[in-house]
């Protein structure tokens, strides 16, 4: 098997529990049909358990399915009568409970039915792959390994691949390629040690945090305030993460560490914390039972008080003096201040970091090939902005190492073992850490090692970077305060915004227009891509606020007209224009997407026209484009009256008037923000490569822009009346405010072509003029101005 020959036509997932069903869902997101197996159900339907699990996917938040209809790609099966169907499958993923005896029984049943080429993979989160492989026939062992997804599988980037003793090396390469490109994952190869990499380090960090919570007398809500975004970690922090994972699952992972790591110097820590054990015993297992460390009985979140064993309002916060320290931008200065500060919160944080650094360094050689694998595993699996070694290196490698060694010697650390010799060895000392231009430090070789050179990674022009790594910046064509136009050594130019949240102001508009002019003379295509998410949060309203307050609406209308010209230019350019999207693409940036020749969007792209939320409507050509698309759908279909356009108009209207944001790129296609010809890429790190390839292919095919639309049939007054009735029902039902109704009416006027007779034929400029006129009318309204001011001040919408 080679990385280019592993084709998955159909897969199977064994186990329809939380993880198994969601793995099947993500296979469906990638366009792969799967068989979801579980025990034969009672009664007349032997597939009842798996069928129920598939149905439940539609009720989970966040949604495992990127589009609801993808559930149709999952077939419910049972271990009783359906095992012969495994012969159809190229990949079989086992995802049942972490019991060796249960897995052995299942493997005995399924092994005879596997296709001779099929890969069997276990989703075990920490059991021995050698032990699991020993339960299989020798012929299957070469095609068996661990493939550990993180929960929830659609959203967590990490997958750990762990070989068993006889696993084919080529299988690992093929599987890594498949997981990376087809499922969009970040793959880390782990060693066959308990809990592998991410859980080994991450769960240790949780346990250390729990130990220090008690030692420093802090409450659970205060600890979550300290260990979330305040230090660059996930919003769910420590105890809320435990609730989400499931306290029974957490207890099981801890017990696994205790049972399988008897010689670990931190073994005394691997006991289930008393509060955790008590909650599990009571059946308070976290989010799935609606109570754990936290609960939400009404509108307010409550936190457990272990002293009284009752819940109280959660209102923990970071102490002001500690918040001041955490706001220090320079990591070295920040850590020095944290360690020196006597406040219990500061000492708690230093202790948590110190023990994390100590544990990670001590076990690096045993659990991973190099420091990069540990850092990326923690970032991708636990949602941290930096891994432990990156954090350490940024704070000053040698200084922090000295501090850790000092605390070990003084008995303040959780274990008395010394840091390994490589920490202060010549190789690491010369590089001031474990990450350098040459790669990441590998203790087994006492050298820095580059990233894995699989062909699949050539599709990532900019892989997820780690600190200290060499990174190309490309060649600049021109640069302004707002945009950079550059290339990667070929004839496809890349426009990247430099504004906060990549918002769009006049400088960005000028940069795009200039880039297209340059490209038409010198290049084959233009790609809009941002060096970091989001793609763009839309128009820069803050830049317009002074003109709004001054009543200089003529100046604003001139900018709106330029916005429309920029969108039109993206479509009329003589070279192909491609939007390369990942993350949020809202408002004006969605209008760019609507007009570009093509869009390449990561699966996790959240696209929408949200202007109604601030009392406006899309006026960068967005409404105009949607009206034209509705007319195009009518022309493409069977001959009929112009009223046939209303179903298409209504769909677009509902999305725009309610400021609907697609929850995936697949949903964006359903809503009409993306076209069927636009490309959805599972891995966000491949978006730029695919977009450049698309631009080049279009150019090679002799690309010409579409001709201007000169005869656009519109639904006029009849359409406006129909949409107004829809608004009346929403207003009278209490779904929208009186002003939302007025905004909706103006959106309807633009989409329907204005107050003209149904069936009238207009040109594109007519629609643009109507769009701009209705936008300006809203902007002059004090209620819209209040919405804009409130959103800028609070980041939240105002419903007035």
């Amino acid at each position: 098997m080679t990385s280019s020959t592993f084709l998955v036509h159909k897969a199977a997932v064994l186990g329809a529990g939380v993880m198994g069903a969601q793995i099947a869902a993500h296979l469906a997101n990638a366009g792969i049909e799967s068989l979801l197996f579980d025990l034969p159900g009672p009664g007349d339907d032997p597939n009842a358990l798996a069928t129920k699990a598939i149905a439940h996917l539609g009720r989970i938040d966040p949604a495992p399915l990127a589009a609801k209809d993808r559930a149709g790609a999952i077939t419910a099966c049972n271990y009783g009568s359906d095992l012969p169907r495994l012969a159809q499958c190229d990949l079989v993923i086992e995802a049942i409970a972490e019991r060796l005896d249960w897995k052995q029984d299942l493997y005995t049943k399924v092994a005879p039915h596997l296709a001779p080429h099929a890969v069997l993979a276990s989703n075990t989160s920490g059991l021995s792959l050698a032990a699991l492989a020993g339960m299989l026939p020798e012929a299957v062992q070469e095609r068996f390994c661990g493939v550990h997804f993180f929960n929830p599988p659609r959203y967590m980037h990490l997958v750990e691949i762990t070989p068993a003793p006889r696993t084919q090396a080529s299988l690992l390469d093929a599987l890594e390629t498949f997981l990376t490109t087809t499922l969009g994952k970040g793959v880390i190869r782990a060693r066959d040690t308990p809990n592998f990499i991410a859980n080994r380090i991450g769960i240790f960090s949780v346990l250390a945090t729990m130990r220090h919570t008690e030692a420093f007398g802090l409450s659970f809500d205060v600890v979550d305030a300290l260990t979330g975004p305040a230090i660059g970690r996930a919003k769910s922090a420590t105890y809320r993460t435990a609730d989400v994972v499931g306290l029974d699952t957490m207890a099981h992972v801890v017990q696994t560490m205790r049972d399988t790591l008897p010689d670990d110097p931190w073994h005394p820590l691997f006991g289930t914390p008393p509060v955790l054990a008590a909650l599990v015993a009571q059946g308070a297992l976290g989010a799935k039972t609606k109570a754990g460390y936290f609960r939400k009985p009404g509108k307010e979140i409550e936190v457990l008080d272990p002293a009284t064993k009752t819940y109280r309002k959660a209102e923990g916060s970071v102490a002001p003096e500690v918040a001041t320290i955490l706001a220090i931008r320079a990591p070295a200065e920040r850590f020095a201040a944290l360690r020196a500060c006597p406040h219990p919160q500061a000492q708690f944080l230093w202790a948590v970091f110190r023990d994390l650094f100590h544990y990670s360094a001590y076990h690096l050689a045993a659990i991973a090939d190099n420091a990069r694998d540990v850092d990326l595993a923690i970032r991708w699996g636990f949602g941290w902005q930096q891994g432990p070694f990156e954090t350490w290196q940024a704070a000053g490698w040698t200084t922090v190492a000295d501090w850790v060694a000092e605390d070990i010697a003084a008995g303040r650390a959780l274990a008395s073992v010394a840091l390994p010799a490589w920490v202060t060895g010549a190789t690491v000392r010369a590089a001031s850490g474990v990450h350098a231009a040459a790669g990441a430090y590998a203790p087994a070789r006492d050298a820095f090692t580059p990233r894995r050179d699989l062909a699949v990674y050539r599709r990532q022009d900019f892989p997820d970077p780690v600190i200290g790594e060499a990174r190309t910046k490309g060649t600049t064509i021109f640069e302004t305060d707002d945009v950079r136009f550059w290339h990667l050594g070929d004839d496809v130019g890349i426009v990247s915004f430099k504004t906060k949240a990549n918002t769009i102001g006049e400088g960005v508009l000028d940069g795009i227009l200039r880039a297209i002019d340059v490209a038409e003379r010198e290049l084959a295509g233009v790609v809009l891509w941002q060096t970091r998410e989001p793609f763009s949060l839309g128009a820069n309203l803050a830049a317009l606020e002074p003109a709004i307050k001054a009543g200089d609406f003529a100046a604003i209308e001139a900018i709106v007209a330029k916005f429309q010209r920029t969108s039109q230019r993206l479509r009329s350019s003589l070279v192909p224009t491609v939007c390369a999207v990942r993350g949020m693409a809202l408002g004006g940036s969605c209008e760019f997407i609507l007009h570009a020749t093509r869009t390449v969007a990561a699966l996790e792209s959240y696209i929408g026209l949200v202007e109604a939320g601030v009392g406006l409507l899309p006026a960068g050509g967005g409404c105009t484009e949607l009206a034209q698309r509705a007319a195009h759908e009518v022309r493409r279909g069977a001959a009929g009256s112009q009223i046939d356009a209303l179903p298409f108009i209504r769909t677009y209207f509902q999305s725009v008037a309610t400021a609907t944001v697609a929850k995936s790129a697949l949903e964006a296609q359903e809503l009409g923000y993306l076209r069927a010809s636009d490309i959805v890429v599972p891995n966000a790190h491949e978006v730029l490569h695919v977009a450049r390839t698309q631009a080049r292919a279009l150019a090679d095919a002799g690309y010409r822009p579409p001709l201007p639309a000169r005869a656009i049939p519109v639904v006029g007054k009849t359409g406006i009346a129909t949409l107004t009735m829809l608004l009346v029902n929403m207003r009278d039902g209490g779904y929208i405010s009186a002003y939302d109704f007025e905004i909706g009416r103006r959106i309807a006027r633009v989409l329907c072509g204005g107050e003209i007779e149904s069936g009238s034929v207009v040109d594109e400029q007519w629609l643009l003029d109507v769009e701009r006129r209705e936008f300006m009318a809203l902007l002059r309204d004090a209620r819209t101005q209040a919405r804009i001011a409130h959103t800028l001040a609070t980041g939240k919408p105002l419903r007035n």
Side-chain angles (χ1 to χ4, degrees):
M1 178 182 292
T2 67
S3 61
S4 61
T5 59
F6 185 51
L7 302 177
V8 180
H9 300 281
K10 182 176 286 188
V13 180
L14 310 179
V18 173
M19 283 299 290
Q22 293 196 57
I23 290 170
H26 195 56
L27 288 166
N29 292 337
I32 298 171
E33 291 186 285
S34 66
L35 309 178
L36 181 60
F37 281 80
D38 213 311
L39 296 168
D44 297 332
D45 183 7
N47 296 328
L49 294 178
T51 299
K52 182 179 179 181
I54 296 169
H56 183 62
L57 290 171
R59 298 189 292 273
I60 298 174
D61 185 27
L65 294 164
K68 291 180 181 179
D69 63 358
R70 292 292 167 126
I74 310 171
T75 301
C77 295
N78 70 87
Y79 300 131
S81 58
D82 290 327
L83 286 177
R85 301 181 70 175
L86 288 173
Q88 309 167 17
C89 300
D90 308 294
L91 173 65
V92 178
I93 300 173
E94 171 268 304
I96 68 170
E98 296 285 69
R99 286 271 301 267
L100 281 170
D101 54 339
W102 291 1
K103 291 181 188 287
Q104 181 171 13
D105 180 64
L106 180 61
Y107 290 1
T108 300
K109 291 178 180 177
V110 304
H113 300 283
L114 297 175
H117 68 283
V119 172
L120 174 63
S122 175
N123 185 56
T124 178
S125 60
L127 296 179
S128 165
L129 269 299
L132 293 173
M135 302 170 180
L136 292 164
E138 287 190 9
V140 177
Q141 289 183 28
E142 293 184 347
R143 296 178 278 116
F144 174 76
C145 66
V147 174
H148 178 213
F149 290 83
F150 277 65
N151 190 22
R154 171 184 163 187
Y155 300 96
M156 298 308 293
H157 193 52
L158 178 64
V159 171
E160 292 173 317
I161 292 182
T162 307
R166 297 187 60 191
T167 306
Q168 296 174 359
S170 60
L171 179 148
L172 297 175
D173 289 347
L175 201 53
E176 183 167 351
T177 297
F178 167 78
L179 290 166
T180 300
T181 285
T182 306
L183 296 190
K185 294 302 171 187
V187 176
I188 297 295
R189 296 201 190 183
R191 293 186 171 151
D192 190 9
T193 57
N195 290 346
F196 311 130
I197 298 175
N199 276 344
R200 180 73 174 272
I201 300 298
I203 297 301
F204 167 82
S205 181
V206 170
L207 289 173
T209 299
M210 290 179 172
R211 173 68 63 87
H212 292 310
T213 298
E214 183 178 359
F216 288 95
L218 303 179
S219 62
F220 302 137
D221 53 339
V222 166
V223 169
D224 272 13
L226 289 165
T227 58
I231 58 171
R233 297 186 184 176
K235 187 177 180 181
S236 55
T238 300
Y239 291 99
R240 276 172 289 185
T241 294
D243 277 350
V244 170
V245 169
L247 301 190
D248 53 341
T249 302
M250 181 71 66
H252 172 78
V253 173
V254 173
Q255 188 61 43
T256 298
M257 294 178 76
R258 186 169 186 80
D259 293 343
T260 58
L261 297 167
D263 299 324
D264 192 305
W266 284 263
H267 188 264
L269 184 67
F270 303 156
T272 305
V275 175
L276 175 59
L279 287 168
V280 172
Q282 295 165 16
L285 306 180
K288 58 189 171 185
T289 60
K290 302 188 184 304
Y293 288 105
F294 293 88
R295 71 178 187 182
K296 191 177 181 182
K299 293 184 178 180
E300 291 186 341
I301 297 174
E302 296 179 345
V303 63
L304 178 68
D305 183 340
T308 64
K309 297 181 174 59
T310 60
Y311 288 87
R312 59 165 177 80
K313 181 180 178 181
E315 49 192 359
S317 61
V318 179
E321 62 189 282
V322 178
T324 299
I325 293 172
L326 294 177
I328 298 172
R329 294 183 64 85
E333 183 182 348
R334 183 169 63 250
F335 269 86
L338 203 62
R339 186 170 184 265
C341 178
H343 195 287
Q345 290 186 10
Q347 289 300 299
F348 162 82
L349 284 175
W350 164 247
V352 167
F353 278 113
R354 175 201 63 215
D355 292 316
L356 171 65
F357 297 157
H358 188 189
Y359 191 83
S360 300
Y362 185 85
H363 287 295
L364 172 59
I367 66 173
D369 178 76
N370 59 74
R372 178 180 53 247
D373 287 351
V374 171
D375 281 338
L376 290 178
I378 286 293
R379 282 165 48 180
W380 295 343
F382 280 77
W384 296 8
Q385 290 179 7
Q386 287 189 319
F389 294 118
E390 288 181 294
T391 305
W392 182 349
Q393 183 165 326
W397 185 268
T398 301
T399 299
V400 172
D402 290 342
W403 290 342
V404 173
E406 181 182 321
D407 280 12
I408 294 170
R412 292 189 288 267
L414 288 177
S416 60
V417 292
L419 288 167
W422 63 259
V423 169
T424 54
T427 304
V428 171
R429 189 170 61 249
S432 299
V434 293
H435 297 296
Y441 182 72
R445 298 183 290 280
D446 190 31
F448 287 83
T449 184
R451 291 182 182 246
R452 193 178 301 281
D453 188 29
L454 284 181
V456 67
Y457 293 119
R458 294 167 204 156
R459 294 171 55 85
Q460 297 185 14
D461 293 324
F462 292 92
D464 205 353
V466 295
I467 189 173
E469 202 171 36
R471 188 171 167 88
T472 182
K473 293 184 178 180
T475 301
T476 299
I477 300 170
F478 72 79
E479 187 167 6
T480 70
D481 290 342
D482 297 287
V483 302
R484 178 177 176 239
F485 190 42
W486 54 288
H487 64 79
L488 283 170
D490 59 7
D491 56 359
V492 175
I494 303 165
V495 178
S496 298
F497 305 169
K498 296 167 57 181
T499 52
K500 183 179 180 180
N502 297 322
T503 52
I504 303 164
E506 193 168 11
V508 168
L509 301 176
D510 289 336
I512 294 173
L513 291 169
R514 180 180 170 188
I516 294 174
D517 287 344
V518 171
E520 287 182 332
R521 295 192 305 268
E522 303 174 10
L523 300 171
V526 174
V527 170
L528 269 62
W529 177 81
Q530 315 300 0
T531 57
R532 60 177 60 84
E533 295 183 22
F535 181 70
S536 172
L537 295 189
N540 184 354
L541 292 176
L544 296 179
E545 193 173 29
I548 295 173
K549 290 180 177 179
D552 190 358
F553 294 107
I556 295 174
E557 185 166 4
I559 295 173
V560 174
K562 182 181 286 187
F563 211 132
Q564 291 179 328
R565 288 199 304 275
T566 304
S567 294
Q568 300 302 105
R569 194 77 174 92
L570 284 167
R571 189 174 59 192
S572 65
S573 167
L574 295 177
V575 297
T577 59
V578 181
C579 286
V581 180
R582 51 181 178 164
M584 300 190 80
L586 305 180
S589 66
C590 179
E591 295 179 274
F592 288 166
I593 289 167
L594 290 171
H595 286 84
T597 309
R598 183 153 297 168
T599 294
V600 175
L603 178 69
E604 300 307 329
S605 295
Y606 311 109
I607 303 170
L609 295 168
V610 296
E611 288 85 350
V614 290
L616 296 170
L617 57 79
C623 289
T624 295
E625 175 63 19
L626 294 178
Q628 291 188 77
R629 290 189 182 187
H632 175 73
E633 291 292 341
V634 172
R635 286 195 296 267
R636 198 174 62 170
S641 66
Q642 293 302 326
I643 201 69
D644 290 339
L646 266 175
F648 305 106
I649 291 288
R650 184 184 295 112
T651 298
Y652 294 139
F653 172 76
Q654 288 176 319
S655 297
V656 176
T658 59
T660 300
V661 176
K663 296 181 176 64
S664 72
L666 295 179
E667 188 173 301
Q669 287 181 316
E670 293 177 353
L671 293 172
Y673 297 142
L674 296 179
R675 295 155 293 198
S677 59
D678 291 329
I679 296 170
V680 177
V681 176
N683 195 317
H685 296 293
E686 296 183 353
V687 165
L688 178 58
H689 167 82
V690 176
R692 291 169 58 226
T693 302
Q694 286 293 308
R696 180 71 262 176
L698 287 164
D700 287 346
Y703 175 77
R704 291 292 301 178
L707 294 172
R710 295 186 174 88
I712 305 166
V714 296
V715 294
K717 294 176 182 178
T718 302
I720 295 170
T722 301
L723 297 180
T724 298
M725 287 307 302
L726 181 64
L727 288 169
V728 167
N729 292 334
M730 294 173 70
R731 182 194 60 195
D732 294 350
Y735 297 105
I736 61 174
S737 70
Y739 192 48
D740 290 327
F741 176 88
E742 188 168 333
I743 296 166
R745 279 270 299 170
R746 293 189 180 276
I747 293 170
R749 285 194 194 106
V750 182
L751 291 175
C752 296
E755 298 279 359
I756 58 178
E757 295 302 318
S758 177
S760 297
V761 176
V762 302
D763 62 14
E764 190 171 50
Q765 190 57 53
W766 170 277
L767 292 173
L768 289 169
D769 291 343
V770 174
E771 176 184 272
R772 192 171 63 256
R773 183 171 62 248
E774 297 294 343
F775 175 90
M776 293 306 301
L778 287 171
L779 189 61
R780 288 185 173 93
D781 194 298
R783 292 167 293 183
T784 286
Q785 293 174 25
R787 287 192 176 193
I788 292 172
H790 184 271
T791 300
L792 291 175
T794 67
K796 298 178 181 179
L798 172 67
R799 285 288 176 261
N800 55 354

